[in-house]
Amino acid sequence: SGKSTLGNCMLKLINPTAGEVIFEGENILTKNKAMLKPFRRKAQLIFQNPYMSLNPRMKIYDILKEPFIVNGIKDKKQIDETIKKIVSLIGMQEEILNRYPHEFSGGQRQRIAIARAIILKPSFVVADEPVSALDVSIQAQIINLLIDLKKHLNLTMLFISHDLSIIKYISDRIAVMYLGKIVELAKSDELYSRPLHPYTVSLLSSVPIPDPDKSSRRKLIALKGEIPNASNIPSGCNFHTRCPKAKPECANINVKLQDTGNNHFCSCPFFAHLLQAHL
């Protein structure tokens, strides 16, 4: 779908061929490496795999100290105090600072990676599937930690995931992507209670419900066919080749997000019919 690619474009880790990324009123895509330095301090990334994102040859103290060095902060007292506060904030003890990444579990490593991302007090964090590489028993702990940090540090967070249950739990607003395009955008409660785009409806029908009675009453909407090649996207609506509600004109229509009311955006031109079906 292009979720991680979009997140990397927002941080200018990938240079998109078109468009703009506006942060605090400025288009960061027009900035060179030197001009980006203040932005880098305000916008950080939590990587997906904590086993790969931490340098195995550096102690945890040095890993957490590195952002200060990169940004020219040399006050040792300030650095030490901040590191100790961050370690406490992520629910770990100071004794971890003299240990190496391989001495920790996946959940502990991800806590350390989160500490590194927030240690310079950024205002925007991209969390790229931060729990997908972790055991299910640990995922809830990391999600709750991110929610607490978001509130405590007043963070804006772009949370990237394919797990619809986690998305509902953590998100204020949700954008659904298909083949590189946002097909629906709404507040979390609105999207889950009134999905409009056929792709969103299909996705939500696949979420497991831990109740045999409710599960038996819900119809699973299975999509036919395979996702088209991203280098050869279908004409018109890019979902029409798999859409259960597709019409002949969908192959040629100019599709764009439309506000259906209540800040609920949908790119399906026939959303009115879908809305009627949910009333």
Side-chain angles (χ1 to χ4, degrees):
S1 293
K3 302 184 296 296
S4 295
T5 300
L6 179 62
N8 287 331
C9 286
M10 286 183 173
L11 299 177
K12 208 186 175 187
L13 299 177
I14 295 176
N15 284 316
T17 55
E20 296 178 323
V21 177
I22 306 300
F23 183 83
E24 296 183 347
E26 296 182 312
N27 181 11
I28 68 161
L29 299 184
T30 63
K31 298 181 179 294
N32 58 33
K33 188 175 180 179
M35 296 166 66
L36 276 174
K37 202 159 188 179
F39 168 74
R40 296 279 184 230
R41 186 167 175 172
K42 295 178 182 178
Q44 290 290 321
L45 174 66
I46 301 171
F47 293 94
Q48 178 177 351
N49 191 340
Y51 295 93
M52 301 292 291
S53 63
L54 300 178
N55 190 330
R57 295 177 177 167
M58 294 175 68
K59 289 185 177 181
I60 304 307
Y61 176 86
D62 295 319
I63 289 173
L64 297 181
K65 181 182 177 181
E66 192 169 28
F68 294 98
I69 296 173
V70 171
N71 284 275
I73 300 172
K74 300 178 181 179
D75 187 328
K76 189 176 187 305
K77 183 179 179 181
Q78 177 190 353
I79 293 172
D80 288 348
E81 288 179 355
T82 305
I83 288 177
K84 289 177 182 178
K85 287 180 182 178
I86 288 295
V87 167
S88 175
L89 200 57
I90 62 168
M92 300 185 79
Q93 303 297 321
E94 289 181 24
E95 58 94 15
I96 72 165
L97 297 173
N98 289 317
R99 296 163 65 185
Y100 290 92
H102 73 268
E103 300 180 62
F104 299 94
S105 66
Q108 291 172 321
R109 292 188 199 195
Q110 195 61 298
R111 287 176 184 269
I112 294 166
I114 291 169
R116 178 180 59 186
I118 65 171
I119 201 160
L120 293 179
K121 299 181 180 179
S123 56
F124 176 56
V125 171
V126 174
D128 187 6
E129 304 213 32
V131 297
S132 63
L134 306 178
D135 293 339
V136 175
S137 59
I138 304 299
Q139 289 183 2
Q141 298 176 23
I142 299 301
I143 291 299
N144 287 330
L145 173 63
L146 290 173
I147 292 173
D148 290 342
L149 291 174
K150 186 162 68 83
K151 294 177 181 177
H152 184 79
L153 302 175
N154 195 28
L155 282 174
T156 295
M157 185 179 298
L158 175 69
F159 187 88
I160 299 170
S161 179
H162 59 270
D163 189 317
L164 298 170
S165 299
I166 290 177
I167 291 170
K168 182 179 182 181
Y169 182 63
I170 197 173
S171 302
D172 300 311
R173 296 175 73 221
I174 298 172
V176 180
M177 292 187 70
Y178 182 81
L179 273 182
K181 292 185 178 180
I182 293 176
V183 297
E184 190 160 0
L185 173 65
K187 292 180 180 178
S188 179
D189 292 341
E190 170 84 5
L191 187 92
Y192 276 80
S193 64
R194 195 174 66 107
L196 299 181
H197 196 280
Y199 181 58
T200 308
V201 174
S202 174
L203 285 177
L204 295 182
S205 77
S206 69
V207 178
I209 298 178
D211 185 328
D213 295 330
K214 290 183 180 180
S215 294
S216 62
R217 293 196 300 267
R218 188 181 63 177
K219 180 182 178 183
L220 173 65
I221 303 173
L223 299 177
K224 297 180 180 180
E226 299 292 330
I227 298 177
N229 191 321
S231 63
N232 187 25
I233 295 177
S235 61
C237 173
N238 61 4
F239 185 57
H240 82 268
T241 58
R242 305 180 69 204
C243 181
K245 296 182 178 292
K247 301 176 184 294
E249 55 265 40
C250 291
N252 303 306
I253 201 163
N254 182 21
V255 178
K256 55 185 178 181
L257 282 173
Q258 303 175 62
D259 190 348
T260 68
N262 199 28
N263 284 322
H264 190 155
F265 296 83
C266 177
S267 68
C268 179
F270 304 105
F271 68 82
H273 302 295
L274 304 175
L275 176 59
Q276 189 63 35
H278 283 79
L279 294 178

